[in-house]
Amino acid sequence: MTAMVIPSAGAPSTLLFNWNTIDWKKVIAYVRRLQMRIEKAFREGKHSKAKALQWILTHSFYAKLLAVRRVVQNQGAKTPGVDNITWNTSIQKMKAAMSLKRQGYQTKPLKRIYIPKKQNGEFRPLSIPAMQCRAQQALYLLSLEPIAESIADKNAYGFRPLRSAADAIAQCFIMLARKGSAQYILEGDIRSCFDSISHRWILENTPMDKLMLKKWLAAGYIEKNEFHPTELGTPQGGIISPTLLNVTLSGLENAVKSATKLSDKIHISIYADDFVITGASREILENKVKPAVETFLKERGLSLSQNKTKITHINEGFDFLGMNIRKYGSKLIIKPAKSSVKRLLADIRKTIKSNATTKTEYLLNQLNPKIRGWANYYRHVCAKKAFKYIDCNIFKAIWNWAINRHPNKGRKWVRCKYFRNDKFRNWVFFTKVKRKDGVSINVDLVEMSRTPIKRHIKVKAEATPFDSSYHNYFDKRISERESVKSSSKKKPKWWLQWWNLLKPDDKDRKVRVATTAAL
């Protein structure tokens, strides 16, 4: 195959054969090194240097490759925009990376669809950009993310690298668990957050290429073959939108604390557009904290949802990110919210009923990811009782499914066909599946109650992976997390610890020296 030489801005010429032969370790190392320099320059107040490094990154072919890779590996990669174009082949992906240019780029309108909300059955608007626009957003997100991380609130955990909802819940435990902790909580919810952000504020305060950002904000959307302009908000469905939301809400923690004093026991936990704020009394939250939040949001074109924003006593408890947080006497207990349990069981029963005549293997392939994913999300809290309750209800639904499939067979026959014994477990729903080598194996239904409960250790509030001083911290943290998931003592996969790619390696010394010189 003939080699293709592609020059890249800010990096030496790259010898590539096709998409499948790209050395992704080298690509990631180059991009992350630039991102770290951007974060360091911005943190030190060298904003002009950070802006120049952003330009180098967004014009680098390595960054373009990484942007296209993110788009084609995304869950919505097979969902086209208004142009009905998707990138499936290696040639299409390579051409897409080569076509990412700032000069002459024109955005396409977004395709508007609606998806149901989990809570109330209402529909949420989702705007889908074209593949070209997604890749451009992913490219400029690489340059924005290091700065967004450096200005983000310390206790904001949504849409940030190496942070999760488990960290936000762990922060709630720290805020409320002690005997002398605050007793009142302001549950905050921002009304139509993504759809209401002021374009003027975003353009004036987002440290990135203003021309490109303005094009995305003013792209408009098409619904029922009719074009609608966008004057407010950033589209849900855009790759860069979550980071723009984080930039918009950066400073909320400082705004609240500057309006109060230390004795007010003000602490905050933020996840995307949801947040909880603690206070020593209802009056402090009502008269000091809530007005400070409303003033902060008003500058950005946002407002609180009066129906969902309320002040609660810790003894009454509240729901946050699918968890119920409540004090029983002097003990704080966090467990799965009843509404979350009901939604899961409703989804599982619907899945079982809709597969009344399908193969057992197909049903297990649908149920196991749902059960395993739900259990992994809640395995950091007091969920053992909920796990057993869910297992019991799933068994009842499975048993009814098996009985209805064979109305002319006895219970004992049905049990022998669909259930087996495994040591001390006597009712294991299973099926036999042949592997590629011809060996038959048992595929069992996941039992949620067998998931071990292990408390999550919250990430350091000030830690960011773009700051080299925290690389050893994240290295240890990820290693411990992976060791819990796997019984074997394997090192974490390389893309989880991309900073290891930046360490000296004699094998690639010549490439490293050439890259560093080009910077």
Side-chain angles (χ1 to χ4, degrees):
M1 185 182 293
T2 305
M4 177 171 55
V5 179
I6 303 173
S8 61
S13 296
T14 310
L15 187 63
L16 298 170
F17 291 95
N18 57 43
W19 184 264
N20 297 323
T21 62
I22 296 173
D23 185 351
W24 288 109
K25 291 185 179 182
K26 188 184 298 183
V27 171
I28 291 175
Y30 174 79
V31 173
R32 299 307 191 195
R33 187 178 287 109
L34 264 179
Q35 287 183 312
M36 288 170 60
R37 294 185 64 194
I38 292 171
E39 192 275 340
K40 182 181 179 182
F42 191 87
R43 176 164 35 91
E44 294 176 349
K46 302 175 182 178
H47 294 177
S48 297
K49 182 178 180 180
K51 187 176 180 180
L53 290 168
Q54 283 183 309
W55 190 95
I56 293 174
L57 180 59
T58 54
H59 289 73
S60 163
F61 188 69
Y62 279 168
K64 295 175 182 179
L65 288 174
L66 202 57
V68 172
R69 182 175 184 252
R70 175 170 181 174
V71 170
V72 299
Q73 289 186 345
N74 194 285
Q75 290 183 351
K78 295 182 180 179
T79 304
V82 293
D83 55 2
N84 290 321
I85 293 175
T86 56
W87 299 331
N88 301 315
T89 65
S90 296
I91 295 176
Q92 288 175 334
K93 296 170 187 176
M94 188 61 72
K95 286 184 177 179
M98 296 171 63
S99 67
L100 293 182
K101 298 179 180 179
R102 181 179 186 273
Q103 187 174 3
Y105 166 70
Q106 293 295 330
T107 56
K108 292 182 175 64
L110 308 167
K111 183 169 73 173
R112 174 64 62 90
I113 63 173
Y114 291 88
I115 58 175
K117 293 182 179 180
K118 293 182 179 179
Q119 290 83 356
N120 48 25
E122 296 179 358
F123 287 89
R124 173 185 287 111
L126 188 66
S127 301
I128 303 175
M131 296 292 285
Q132 183 79 6
C133 297
R134 285 182 232 176
Q136 287 280 14
Q137 289 186 21
L139 175 61
Y140 282 83
L141 175 59
L142 290 172
S143 69
L144 174 62
E145 196 172 37
I147 298 178
E149 274 294 289
S150 65
I151 65 175
D153 289 346
K154 292 182 178 181
N155 289 301
Y157 302 97
F159 306 127
R160 295 182 62 185
L162 300 180
R163 295 190 178 214
S164 64
D167 292 306
I169 296 299
Q171 170 66 9
C172 291
F173 183 85
I174 293 171
M175 295 189 304
L176 298 164
R178 295 187 179 92
K179 290 184 178 180
S181 297
Q183 298 292 304
Y184 290 89
I185 302 96
L186 172 67
E187 303 172 59
D189 184 88
I190 303 174
R191 181 189 296 130
S192 302
C193 188
F194 279 97
D195 299 327
S196 305
I197 301 174
S198 167
H199 285 184
R200 178 188 58 79
W201 193 94
I202 294 180
L203 288 170
E204 290 177 358
N205 296 276
T206 304
M208 65 169 291
D209 192 316
K210 308 297 184 185
L211 178 63
M212 299 294 286
L213 180 58
K214 187 176 182 179
K215 288 182 178 181
W216 294 326
L217 295 176
Y221 64 91
I222 292 179
E223 183 180 9
K224 296 180 180 179
N225 296 322
E226 184 177 348
F227 176 80
H228 300 269
T230 50
E231 299 178 355
L232 290 173
T234 177
Q236 295 188 52
I239 288 179
I240 202 171
S241 295
T243 304
L244 291 178
L245 174 64
N246 283 342
V247 171
T248 303
L249 297 182
S250 296
L252 176 60
E253 187 172 357
N254 289 334
V256 169
K257 290 188 175 181
S258 63
T260 56
K261 53 187 178 181
L262 191 62
S263 60
D264 292 336
K265 299 181 180 180
I266 301 298
H267 299 284
I268 188 169
S269 180
I270 308 170
Y271 192 89
D273 57 342
D274 294 324
F275 58 88
V276 292
I277 304 174
T278 65
S281 67
R282 184 182 295 271
E283 290 72 24
I284 290 171
L285 293 176
E286 189 70 49
N287 300 327
K288 292 183 179 181
V289 173
K290 192 174 179 181
V293 172
E294 289 175 338
T295 302
F296 174 87
L297 295 177
K298 187 176 181 180
E299 295 175 0
R300 292 152 176 80
L302 302 172
S303 61
L304 289 173
S305 172
Q306 298 302 324
N307 295 332
K308 297 180 181 179
T309 301
K310 53 187 177 180
I311 298 174
T312 311
H313 193 277
I314 189 60
N315 291 341
E316 299 174 11
F318 63 97
D319 290 349
F320 182 55
L321 302 179
M323 312 282 183
N324 179 260
I325 305 172
R326 182 180 175 183
K327 259 188 178 178
Y328 296 83
S330 60
K331 189 172 184 179
L332 182 74
I333 295 180
I334 304 176
K335 56 186 179 181
K338 290 182 179 179
S339 57
S340 299
V341 175
K342 289 180 179 179
R343 280 198 303 269
L344 174 68
L345 289 175
D347 184 27
I348 287 178
R349 291 185 183 115
K350 182 180 178 181
T351 302
I352 293 172
K353 288 181 180 179
S354 62
N355 289 277
T357 59
T358 56
K359 291 183 178 181
T360 308
E361 177 187 353
Y362 183 73
L363 178 62
L364 284 169
N365 288 339
Q366 292 191 69
L367 291 180
N368 280 345
K370 295 176 187 282
I371 298 171
R372 189 180 293 111
W374 202 91
N376 286 338
Y377 182 79
Y378 289 97
R379 64 191 173 95
H380 304 297
V381 298
C382 303
K384 209 67 174 181
K385 187 176 179 180
F387 287 174
K388 291 179 180 180
Y389 174 79
I390 291 169
D391 281 340
C392 180
N393 281 271
I394 292 175
F395 171 78
K396 291 178 181 178
I398 289 289
W399 178 248
N400 290 332
W401 172 87
I403 291 295
N404 293 333
R405 282 169 70 94
H406 305 281
N408 298 325
K409 297 291 185 180
R411 299 290 198 270
K412 187 175 181 180
W413 184 93
V414 172
R415 182 193 187 284
C416 293
K417 179 173 176 61
Y418 292 104
F419 298 88
R420 71 182 183 91
N421 296 335
D422 180 23
K423 297 180 181 179
F424 297 105
R425 301 168 64 203
N426 297 326
W427 289 83
V428 180
F429 182 62
F430 84 110
T431 187
K432 285 188 176 293
V433 178
K434 277 191 177 182
R435 298 188 311 198
K436 293 182 179 179
D437 57 5
V439 178
S440 294
I441 59 171
N442 292 326
V443 176
D444 299 338
L445 180 71
V446 172
E447 189 175 358
M448 193 176 289
S449 58
R450 294 173 69 86
T451 303
I453 303 296
K454 182 177 176 61
R455 175 163 290 173
H456 178 80
I457 305 301
K458 188 181 79 70
V459 67
K460 288 183 178 180
E462 63 279 359
T464 168
F466 298 106
D467 188 345
S468 59
S469 62
Y470 290 105
H471 285 178
N472 289 335
Y473 165 74
F474 281 116
D475 199 356
K476 181 180 178 181
R477 181 178 175 84
I478 293 174
S479 298
E480 291 175 350
R481 184 178 65 187
E482 292 298 311
S483 64
V484 172
K485 294 182 180 179
S486 175
S487 58
S488 60
K489 295 182 180 179
K490 294 182 179 179
K491 290 186 178 180
K493 296 176 181 179
W494 60 266
W495 57 80
L496 292 177
Q497 293 173 297
W498 52 261
W499 48 84
N500 286 340
L501 304 178
L502 309 178
K503 295 179 180 179
D505 185 354
D506 292 336
K507 184 177 179 181
D508 294 328
R509 186 176 184 279
K510 292 183 179 180
V511 175
R512 189 179 67 258
V513 171
T515 305
T516 305
L519 297 179

